[in-house]
Amino acid sequence: MPRPIRATIHSPALAHNLAVAQKHAGAAKIWAVLKANAYGHGLLRAAEALKAADGFAVLDFVDALKLRSAGIDKPILMLEGFFKPEDLPLLSRYNLTPVIHNVAQLEMLEKVTFVGKMDAYLKVNSGMNRLGFTVDNVRLAWNALEAHPGIGEVTLMTHFADADGEGGVTAQLQWFNELTQPFDTAPRSLANSAALLRFPDETRGDWVRPGIMLYGCSPFLFKTAEDIGLKPAMTLSSEIVAVQNLQAGERVGYGMTYEAAQEMTIGVVACGYADGYPRHAPSGTPVLVNGQRTGTVGRVSMDMLCVDISNIEEAYIGTPVTLWGEGLSCDEVARAAGTLSYQLLCALAPRVPVVEVAAGV
Ligand SMILES: Cc1ncc(COP(=O)(O)O)c(C=O)c1O
């Protein structure tokens, strides 16, 4: 007898969101970013729904292998490249495209022989200061890759730190262009979702790399997913499993942080932080009970959370509750909890049963 919680993945919404990305991308090709189990949506399920993408970007070799084992022969971009010399023959064998972002990787490339040629991405640090070659070594990296007999096409890549924020992309774009000016003719890949949506003309290059928008969430604080035309691809839902009537002054949950100001009724919902719901979501975080909007009360516990159902029509044990997704954007819930939809989606716990809806949007 399973708990009533479940995540519903709307595959047509994934396909729809990809079409939105394609519209913005124009002639540029699309890497659908599938890292972190496709932002919690399921690697193979998302790959199938996003099969119109030109390639898939992942982090882990096992994910790349799962895609290949499922018969996917599109390009696969390894976003952090490789970690050990012994990874190189595997990349070559499975026709994976590594991102090369540091000198240690160049040294490994010099040491290991592998059969055939693999394409590579040369990552330039244009200001985010996380991964990538800098002004000191970008030319060295380019020369090493160009001269390497096992490397095919080299694409220049960078990643924006603030494409969704005040900083925008101007400074990074300018520095990237300066650093790569000597190798001007190489293809390029710059844009994440925010850059693609906000600065498409400047950043689309030859390949774009949308992630969050494919899953129906907005990369922006100032624009909702709906404004962008995106549809939620994951709905986390559950049911009320207990009802409590409180008198004024009675308190709720661990730490007794919430006190009823007047008589009220609360529903106890089968969803907690062990399911991936954020523990730090404060009282008042939005939730839908029987399709009607209300808020959480008290602390989220491991397996349960409480919601105010005083003014909800038809709220009993068994009444459906939407934690996020259709009718309640994950972005809004995340914001109330002081985080981002990225984190909520990726945190969906393996114990939550997943149901796929393959038709309708
Ligand atoms: C290198 C790289 N490109 C693209 C993406 C996709 O970003 P977003 O989900 O914001 O579209 C990510 C995700 O963090 C990334 O690390």
Side-chain angles (χ1 to χ4, degrees):
M1 192 177 30
R3 294 163 72 227
I5 189 166
R6 65 181 172 278
T8 304
I9 305 299
H10 312 274
S11 297
L14 290 167
H16 165 87
N17 297 334
L18 175 63
V20 175
Q22 281 167 325
K23 205 176 76 201
H24 289 269
K29 291 187 179 173
I30 297 201
W31 293 112
V33 178
L34 299 183
K35 65 182 177 153
N37 195 29
Y39 291 46
H41 293 66
L43 178 80
L44 294 180
R45 185 181 301 116
E48 171 61 24
L50 298 168
K51 58 179 178 247
D54 301 285
F56 297 116
V58 299
L59 211 58
D60 294 311
F61 177 68
V62 282
D63 286 349
L65 205 53
K66 280 184 198 159
L67 294 173
R68 288 285 181 253
S69 304
I72 292 167
D73 59 4
K74 290 185 185 231
I76 296 180
L77 183 65
M78 305 300 297
L79 285 168
E80 289 183 8
F82 53 92
F83 306 92
K84 295 276 184 303
E86 55 269 30
D87 298 340
L88 276 161
L90 291 172
L91 294 178
S92 161
R93 176 162 164 208
Y94 291 100
N95 193 22
L96 309 177
T97 305
V99 170
I100 295 173
H101 56 83
N102 66 28
V103 172
Q105 289 174 321
L106 294 178
E107 288 166 359
M108 290 184 231
L109 267 172
E110 290 310 317
K111 276 192 207 132
V112 181
T113 47
F114 49 89
V115 199
K117 265 191 192 294
M118 65 172 120
D119 292 341
Y121 269 44
L122 188 165
K123 188 162 188 178
V124 176
N125 174 8
S126 59
M128 189 168 188
N129 291 315
R130 209 173 54 168
L131 301 183
F133 294 96
T134 62
V135 63
D136 298 331
N137 49 25
V138 67
R139 184 181 276 277
L140 171 129
W142 171 264
N143 290 341
L145 294 179
E146 281 291 284
H148 196 290
I151 298 291
E153 184 177 59
V154 179
T155 298
L156 299 167
M157 165 191 188
T158 198
H159 192 48
F160 295 117
D162 203 18
D164 56 316
E166 267 181 36
V169 296
T170 312
Q172 275 192 264
L173 198 54
Q174 198 176 335
W175 189 220
F176 174 81
N177 287 337
E178 251 176 75
L179 289 175
T180 58
Q181 195 266 327
F183 348 109
D184 213 11
T185 53
R188 29 196 79 207
S189 173
L190 315 174
N192 56 3
S193 299
L196 175 62
L197 291 165
R198 193 171 170 207
F199 307 105
D201 293 341
E202 299 92 318
T203 67
R204 65 166 67 86
D206 300 279
W207 282 84
V208 296
R209 307 186 307 271
I212 194 71
M213 68 177 293
L214 301 179
Y215 304 103
C217 292
S218 170
F220 307 119
L221 286 176
F222 53 85
K223 222 178 200 183
T224 66
E226 206 177 342
D227 291 340
I228 303 166
L230 302 173
K231 301 187 186 224
M234 178 196 292
T235 297
L236 181 65
S237 59
S238 188
E239 290 177 6
I240 292 177
V241 294
V243 172
Q244 302 287 346
N245 294 305
L246 306 184
Q247 299 303 314
E250 286 196 292
R251 290 169 178 268
V252 180
Y254 285 118
M256 299 200 156
T257 55
Y258 183 86
E259 181 179 333
Q262 68 250 327
E263 237 181 83
M264 69 184 293
T265 310
I266 61 166
V268 182
V269 181
C271 175
Y273 60 78
D275 298 302
Y277 196 88
R279 182 182 174 278
H280 48 281
S283 288
T285 299
V287 56
L288 300 181
V289 176
N290 206 13
Q292 299 155 66
R293 223 179 143 87
T294 181
T296 61
V297 290
R299 276 193 196 151
V300 174
S301 49
M302 185 185 283
D303 312 310
M304 284 171 268
L305 56 80
C306 296
V307 295
D308 183 358
I309 54 170
S310 309
N311 298 312
I312 302 291
E313 285 167 35
E314 311 279 331
Y316 318 107
I317 289 176
T319 296
V321 176
T322 301
L323 287 317
W324 65 67
E326 276 187 329
L328 176 62
S329 92
C330 186
D331 293 318
E332 190 186 344
V333 176
R335 200 159 312 150
T339 184
L340 299 170
S341 50
Y342 292 80
Q343 193 181 7
L344 300 196
L345 297 176
C346 294
L348 183 76
R351 80 177 193 178
V352 177
V354 176
V355 181
E356 185 177 341
V357 174
V361 185

